[in-house]
Amino acid sequence: MELVSPVPGATPDAAALPRLSPATLAGLPAAVQRPSFDRDALQPGIVHLGIGAFMRAHLVPATEAAIAAGDRRWGIVGVSLRAADTRDALTPQAGLYTLVVRDADAAGQPRQRLQVMGAVLGLLVAPEDPAAVLACIAAPTTRIVSLTVTEKGYNHDPASGRLRLDHPDIAHDLAHPATPRSAVGFLVQGLAQRRAAGGGPVTLMSLDNLPANGRVLRGAVLDLATRLDPALADWIAIGCRFPCSMVDRIVPRTTDADRAAVAAALQAQDAWPVLAEPFSDWAVEDDFAAGRPDWSAGGARFVAEAARWERLKLRMVNGAHSCIAYLGAMAGWATVDQAMAQPLLRHHITALMRDEIAPTLPSLPGLDHAAYRAQLLARFANPALAHRTRQIAMDGSQKLPQRLLDTVRERLAAGAPIPRLALGIAAWLHYLRGVDEAGAAYAIDDPQAATLQALQREALAGGATLAGLYRVLGHAPVFGDLAGDARLAEALLPPLLALQQRGVNAALQALDDGQEIHDD
């Protein structure tokens, strides 16, 4: 994929440019790729819950490629489950937006390629009109309902995988199923309406970073459905499909500076472009109830089972990303590329992937671990993305169980050391104090923030001790069966003390030197 234009600076008259819309498509610069199909001929075949940046940088371009190849059944209706900002930004543009693919040339200079996406036909905001969302799920043309609602959007216990019946949204949906609030509640009620109208089963497809994401989704849907209507649960279990998938693309948050730069290159205002790296990977199980797009036209791979690909991505990409995020945010390295420019941090992440994560991974056809690791390090170092460490640091309680703790379990079961994994977990615990090394305060964006920060203050703020770590490890929603594990507590103590007493660089250096920092 050739990236053809340099990243421009903002133009003084950007606000005077016309708005991106079907009427302005023809006047865009020749280098900007635009939909090659008649959008008016599209049928809405996919309903997507959680129309955020990742979905618009991953699912949409793959679907766009399938539509461009001639299959017009796969227009997308996007649903925001909370805020109206995406709908408000894109509806005046008739669902059009720009995908901006960025990297750097051989000299390190940022460059980009722009493509206007046309597969999104409509946008809904669930709290404003839940009936419209349910009607879309039940519509005869809908064949797939997909989700990117983040780990916390499944309202499950990350340690056990069970649906949290005490979650306020699930409790509401049990009491008021016709007006759901949760993603799972919308799915169950939409399928109930579909069944009542005589419609056939559909595919429900998670694209979130969860191990066995399809099975997690299936379990949550069937659990809620069984409690509301056992006959509906049987209908779903027999006919609907829940393929697992692995999706991999780095998608940083769009800033106002990005909007201005895109406007200058596009010569039109796009209220919400999305940014992405050139790399994109998607392995999805070929198990669909009512057909599917040929996403292979957009680079997807249909596989018999996705578990091995999920494990590779969750542990190598997401696990390393979380370690970079917590260490980087504490040290004041605002973006991933800034963090990766630090020799100690880069060496740590390289050794973490090579020595502690890779030995837990299954063999995959055609996969060269060394080449994969080198490619991943280059992706993390991409200076054109400016992927903020605090963005990745969000929702740690939901992410760590599959990104780091599952790897820890396997290493401990094998009697293998975990010093670098322990540093990543210690960095998260240290991050929970809410103040970086320069003394700047920040908010902890996590569904368990209040509980976790109280635990951090009570058990660790006075200085890490084994007793304090045992208290933290007893927090079952995160650590599950690792509660009371002496090997994990003992592995966490030296890096956490190093972080508390001397900071990130010293903790990284101590790890390389084989030094232990003891409680005075």
Side-chain angles (χ1 to χ4, degrees), residues 174-201:
L174 284 166
H176 309 283
T179 56
R181 290 179 182 170
S182 71
V184 175
F186 272 103
L187 292 176
V188 170
Q189 184 62 21
L191 291 172
Q193 293 189 10
R194 187 177 186 91
R195 174 172 172 260

Side-chain angles (χ1 to χ4, degrees), residues 3-187:
L3 301 171
V4 295
S5 63
V7 179
T11 56
D13 58 347
L17 294 171
R19 185 75 172 264
L20 177 64
S21 71
T24 59
L25 277 177
L28 299 179
V32 177
Q33 189 175 346
R34 62 210 80 191
S36 61
F37 48 84
D38 179 6
R39 297 181 76 222
D40 293 334
L42 292 185
Q43 293 181 1
I46 300 173
V47 175
H48 185 86
L49 307 184
I51 183 165
F54 183 80
M55 169 267 186
R56 292 193 287 133
H58 196 284
L59 176 66
V60 173
T63 305
E64 190 107 351
I67 293 170
D71 193 343
R72 304 293 192 258
R73 299 173 296 166
W74 303 109
I76 299 171
V77 176
V79 178
S80 294
L81 292 171
R82 294 288 182 263
D85 48 1
T86 305
R87 187 274 314 274
D88 294 346
L90 299 189
T91 294
Q93 301 175 182
L96 297 172
Y97 67 92
T98 312
L99 173 63
V100 185
V101 178
R102 286 183 176 172
D103 76 344
D105 62 20
Q109 295 301 306
R111 57 184 180 176
Q112 64 184 12
R113 179 181 63 80
L114 278 64
Q115 180 179 359
V116 175
M117 294 291 163
V120 177
L121 300 181
L123 298 106
L124 300 171
V125 180
E128 293 182 6
D129 195 351
V133 176
L134 296 172
C136 280
I137 295 173
T141 58
T142 297
R143 300 166 182 266
I144 296 172
V145 183
S146 51
L147 301 88
T148 47
V149 294
T150 75
E151 295 91 340
K152 64 185 175 185
Y154 293 79
N155 306 127
H156 73 308
D157 181 341
S160 69
R162 299 296 301 276
L163 185 67
R164 283 187 53 202
L165 300 177
D166 63 341
H167 191 284
D169 288 347
I170 298 300
H172 171 275
D173 293 352
L174 284 166
H176 309 283
T179 56
R181 290 179 182 170
S182 71
V184 175
F186 272 103
L187 292 176

